[in-house]
Amino acid sequence: MIEYTKIGFLIAFLLSTMTQSSGGANILGVFGTHSPSHVIVHMAVMKALADRGHNITVVTQMKPKLATHENITVIIAPPTEERQRYIKEYMAEVSNEKPSFWETMVKAIVQSSNQLEGQYEFMTHPNVKEIYENPKIKFDLVFLGLMANTYQLGIAAKLKCPVIISWVGIPLPFMDTIVGNVNDPSYVPTVNVALNAGQKTMDFGLRFVNFFKYAIMCVFETVLDYKMNQFYERAFANELEFPNYHEMKRRVSLLFYNYHSASEGPIRPTVPQSIEIGGIQVKEQADPLPKELAKFLDKADEGAIFFSLGTNVNTNTFRPDTVDILYKVLSKLPQRVIWKWEDLKNKPGNASNIFFGNWLPQDDILAHPNTKLFITHAGKGGVAEAQYHGVPMVALPIFGDQQGNAEIMTKSGFGRWLDILTMTEHELEQTIREVLGNPAYRETIGKFSTLYRDRPLTARQSVIYWTEYVLRHQGALHLQSPLIHTKFVARNNLDVYGVVLLVSLLLIVTIKFLFRKILNVAIGYGSQRKAVANKLKNN
Ligand SMILES: *[C@@H]1O[C@H](CO)[C@@H](O)[C@H](O)[C@H]1NC(C)=O
Ligand SMILES: *[C@@H]1O[C@H](CO)[C@@H](O)[C@H](O)[C@H]1NC(C)=O
Ligand SMILES: *[C@@H]1O[C@H](CO)[C@@H](O)[C@H](O)[C@H]1NC(C)=O
């Protein structure tokens, strides 16, 4: 009986979130990143809201890879040619070396001025500036895709509306601090720190490494925050009655992040302003594949392999010997292979089992029942899609967080990873055959997939529910953790500890003093009695 009541409530709730509309709000998405994979996640959030009937305006640096939608207006503010050249060079450079966490950090700092200036140029591009300087429509809400551009929160202040942050993965420390998530390095793994499957806590060695990586991130955050404040003042110097940078950070309504802790783990302490939308970019329902591709996949009786190194890296920029190894191995497998390759005029070969394409619907390919393996660079998005569809992986990480993602994926038992720069033909072939042949990988990722999909609200429903929640209440500041309004001394309870220490010291001194007094009295009394006794004896 109780079960039925519960289910009844759930259905009523779901129906209400699906049918009750707050009458199509005007929503602005500001996504100035130069990473196409970030734009994919942000656009998935926007699409959920557009399908719902909201009027979406998006500003980005590049045309999003999303079919045109009647409720989404995309405004492009392209980077300058110089900046474009830099982005291209940077991507080509990082794809041919294997930076460690430390190198990535150092690079991020050294090249940050270029990235930061790029974001600033984006925000002050006439196409973007027009929107917040001379708004033609009244916006009800702003989404900001976060990546070293926190000062762009000022756009929401200009438009006098609430703001939601959108992030593509597990929150980094500087996002945690915006909403007040506890990021304790003794049990919360930071970027690129992975636990083994079934391992519940970090041992001493791992905690040691985790602490140092965390500390570096904190230093990085402090420097970045200082820079963000400078940009904020540069951008909004002439504004009157405008919140300062730190006040503006406290006006964030929610943080949407692309992560599902119950299945991806470990559980991290988060506040009600942190909303998990893990897998938002994964389509809940696959679309039909392009005809040619559908035919190729349907006829893959031995199963099919999907090989893609993502949108940031172009397989053409790889060293020829790497491509050679990949082609030799993939062309001799009995499975059919779908290979994402940019330059279709210059293919690595003409093997009949390989289908080359430069635009491939990754999601729909992974959803196909014949797809048995995904060879990936282990970008967060691709890994999530494979996890959603239960497809085992061979990861060839290239840069950034991919190494960490690949290690976590391997430790979780979803597949294996290889170093793309040093792997041999034999190693690649062995690894592919192992992951295809051993059923353990498919079973493990299948179990994960079941857990991943089991939630009270799907990722899209969460986006809709919480966005409309912010619209209904004109913000969600009542969900804020007190932490973000608390200063350093109070946050660490230093004043309370100080008083406790002082009182304890006073108490100890007093007790000592009293004890000595009592002792003295007692000794004095004792010696008096002795003296009296002696006196009596002498008499
Ligand atoms: C666009 O929004 C309208 C309501 O404003 C809605 O009726 C329509 O279904 C939406 N379009 C799509 C493609 O979802
Ligand atoms: C929807 O947004 C577009 C682009 O920003 C705007 O031109 C249009 O007037 C808006 N529609 C409504 C009904 O507000
Ligand atoms: C593949 O076939 C095309 C056309 O038949 C030919 O021009 C090309 O050289 C072939 N490529 C390779 C690598 O064999």
Side-chain angles (χ1 to χ4, degrees), residues 382-420:
V383 172
E385 285 168 19
Q387 287 174 345
Y388 186 85
H389 294 295
V391 179
M393 287 166 267
V394 169
L396 308 173
I398 295 160
F399 63 92
D401 65 345
Q402 296 161 7
Q403 182 68 40
N405 295 343
E407 284 171 23
I408 292 173
M409 186 278 288
T410 303
K411 283 182 178 176
S412 308
F414 302 157
R416 301 280 287 272
W417 73 271
L418 282 175
D419 185 336
I420 191 165

Side-chain angles (χ1 to χ4, degrees), residues 115-116 119 145-152 174-175 224 228 231:
Q115 299 216 16
L116 295 180
Q119 282 269 11
L146 208 63
M147 192 57 217
N149 58 348
T150 321
Y151 58 91
Q152 292 174 4
F174 69 87
M175 294 156 197
L224 191 67
M228 293 293 107
F231 277 113

Side-chain angles (χ1 to χ4, degrees), residues 327 345-351:
Y327 180 76
K345 290 200 189 81
N346 277 310
K347 294 185 286 190
N350 290 329

Side-chain angles (χ1 to χ4, degrees), residues 314-538:
N314 193 321
T315 25
N316 308 10
T317 59
F318 271 111
R319 292 191 307 222
D321 47 343
T322 308
V323 175
D324 200 41
I325 291 175
L326 287 162
Y327 180 76
K328 271 189 188 148
V329 172
L330 293 175
S331 60
K332 70 178 166 203
L333 290 172
Q335 284 81 14
R336 290 193 161 187
V337 177
I338 297 168
W339 183 335
K340 181 173 180 293
W341 183 263
E342 298 296 329
D343 182 5
L344 293 179
K345 290 200 189 81
N346 277 310
K347 294 185 286 190
N350 290 329
S352 63
N353 73 325
I354 304 182
F355 179 103
F356 290 97
N358 56 9
W359 193 88
L360 295 165
Q362 174 160 303
D363 231 336
D364 303 325
I365 294 172
L366 290 172
H368 196 284
N370 283 349
T371 306
K372 302 291 185 221
L373 176 68
F374 180 30
I375 304 178
T376 169
H377 63 306
K380 168 87 185 162
V383 172
E385 285 168 19
Q387 287 174 345
Y388 186 85
H389 294 295
V391 179
M393 287 166 267
V394 169
L396 308 173
I398 295 160
F399 63 92
D401 65 345
Q402 296 161 7
Q403 182 68 40
N405 295 343
E407 284 171 23
I408 292 173
M409 186 278 288
T410 303
K411 283 182 178 176
S412 308
F414 302 157
R416 301 280 287 272
W417 73 271
L418 282 175
D419 185 336
I420 191 165
L421 300 179
T422 59
M423 69 182 182
T424 62
E425 193 183 325
H426 178 72
E427 273 173 342
L428 180 64
E429 186 177 348
Q430 284 305 307
T431 309
I432 289 175
R433 287 192 192 278
E434 156 73 10
V435 178
L436 279 171
N438 185 340
Y441 297 103
R442 204 170 178 87
E443 275 163 26
T444 310
I445 200 166
K447 260 187 215 151
F448 175 90
S449 166
T450 314
L451 201 55
Y452 194 59
R453 296 165 188 234
D454 194 347
R455 331 176 178 190
L457 292 180
T458 66
R460 278 169 62 88
Q461 286 167 345
S462 286
V463 163
I464 292 167
Y465 175 79
W466 285 106
T467 302
E468 292 182 351
Y469 182 91
V470 169
L471 290 168
R472 281 196 294 276
H473 304 288
Q474 279 107 48
L477 302 191
H478 55 283
L479 294 182
Q480 274 180 337
S481 162
L483 187 65
I484 51 186
H485 297 285
T486 313
K487 295 249 161 56
F488 181 82
V489 170
R491 167 178 307 188
N492 294 289
N493 238 2
L494 296 182
D495 44 358
V496 173
Y497 296 151
V499 170
V500 169
L501 198 71
L502 210 68
V503 170
S504 310
L505 282 177
L506 274 177
L507 221 62
I508 291 171
V509 170
T510 314
I511 289 172
K512 254 192 179 159
F513 175 76
L514 285 178
F515 189 70
R516 205 167 286 147
K517 261 275 151 77
I518 292 166
L519 209 66
N520 277 348
V521 170
I523 291 170
Y525 180 66
S527 48
Q528 240 173 18
R529 278 181 54 147
K530 233 184 221 161
V532 172
N534 280 344
K535 228 181 201 167
L536 285 177
K537 215 158 123 197
N538 288 347

Side-chain angles (χ1 to χ4, degrees), residues 50-54 69-71:
D51 288 344
R52 172 80 169 158
H54 293 294
H69 192 296
E70 60 169 328
N71 297 339

Side-chain angles (χ1 to χ4, degrees), residues 74-358:
V74 176
I75 295 170
I76 308 225
T80 57
E81 260 172 42
E82 185 197 351
R83 200 72 63 195
Q84 244 161 358
R85 207 167 34 243
Y86 153 75
I87 294 168
K88 247 198 179 135
E89 275 168 21
Y90 176 71
M91 289 301 172
E93 186 190 330
V94 289
S95 64
N96 273 324
E97 51 189 276
K98 177 86 45 176
S100 66
F101 170 82
W102 310 107
E103 283 166 333
T104 309
M105 285 317 278
V106 168
K107 244 201 190 121
I109 292 166
V110 171
Q111 300 186 326
S112 64
S113 72
N114 213 326
Q115 299 216 16
L116 295 180
E117 284 297 331
Q119 282 269 11
Y120 191 78
E121 278 170 13
F122 166 76
M123 184 176 133
T124 48
H125 189 285
N127 295 357
V128 183
K129 214 164 175 177
E130 173 78 11
I131 292 171
Y132 59 87
E133 291 294 355
N134 307 304
K136 294 207 176 53
I137 48 174
K138 163 98 188 71
F139 284 106
D140 303 298
L141 176 65
V142 171
F143 272 86
L144 178 64
L146 208 63
M147 192 57 217
N149 58 348
T150 321
Y151 58 91
Q152 292 174 4
L153 287 171
I155 293 175
K158 289 279 308 187
L159 295 170
K160 296 194 170 58
C161 59
V163 56
I164 295 177
I165 286 177
S166 172
W167 171 239
V168 297
I170 301 177
L172 298 176
F174 69 87
M175 294 156 197
D176 280 330
T177 49
I178 289 181
V179 292
N181 285 336
V182 177
N183 197 325
D184 185 334
S186 63
Y187 64 102
V188 179
T190 187
V191 191
N192 278 16
V193 174
L195 273 70
N196 289 314
Q199 188 185 354
K200 289 212 163 63
T201 57
M202 292 183 273
D203 57 18
F204 174 77
L206 201 54
R207 263 185 302 122
F208 201 77
V209 171
N210 193 51
F211 174 78
F212 271 96
K213 286 187 173 176
Y214 168 79
I216 298 256
M217 293 291 279
C218 288
V219 172
F220 190 57
E221 174 194 345
T222 310
V223 176
L224 191 67
D225 211 44
Y226 175 78
K227 291 287 265 185
M228 293 293 107
N229 194 4
Q230 281 183 333
F231 277 113
Y232 189 87
E233 284 175 359
R234 189 165 134 199
F236 305 109
N238 302 325
E239 299 297 332
L240 299 168
E241 294 181 29
F242 207 66
N244 70 28
Y245 172 67
H246 299 285
E247 273 166 47
M248 195 55 227
K249 279 206 300 181
R250 289 194 286 267
R251 291 196 189 178
V252 170
S253 280
L254 296 174
L255 166 67
F256 283 1
Y257 59 102
N258 190 15
Y259 180 66
H260 180 241
S261 58
S263 56
E264 294 177 77
I267 300 298
R268 25 179 35 246
T270 55
V271 293
Q273 276 191 314
S274 300
I275 309 295
E276 292 192 345
I277 55 163
I280 184 66
Q281 78 289 10
V282 185
K283 258 184 295 184
E284 286 163 12
Q285 211 68 46
D287 286 327
L289 288 165
K291 256 198 200 115
E292 211 184 333
L293 195 55
K295 220 166 86 191
F296 184 79
L297 259 177
D298 288 341
K299 291 212 177 120
D301 300 324
E302 297 282 331
I305 296 171
F306 178 43
F307 172 38
S308 164
L309 295 179
T311 44
N312 269 343
V313 179
N314 193 321
T315 25
N316 308 10
T317 59
F318 271 111
R319 292 191 307 222
D321 47 343
T322 308
V323 175
D324 200 41
I325 291 175
L326 287 162
Y327 180 76
K328 271 189 188 148
V329 172
L330 293 175
S331 60
K332 70 178 166 203
L333 290 172
Q335 284 81 14
R336 290 193 161 187
V337 177
I338 297 168
W339 183 335
K340 181 173 180 293
W341 183 263
E342 298 296 329
D343 182 5
L344 293 179
K345 290 200 189 81
N346 277 310
K347 294 185 286 190
N350 290 329
S352 63
N353 73 325
I354 304 182
F355 179 103
F356 290 97
N358 56 9

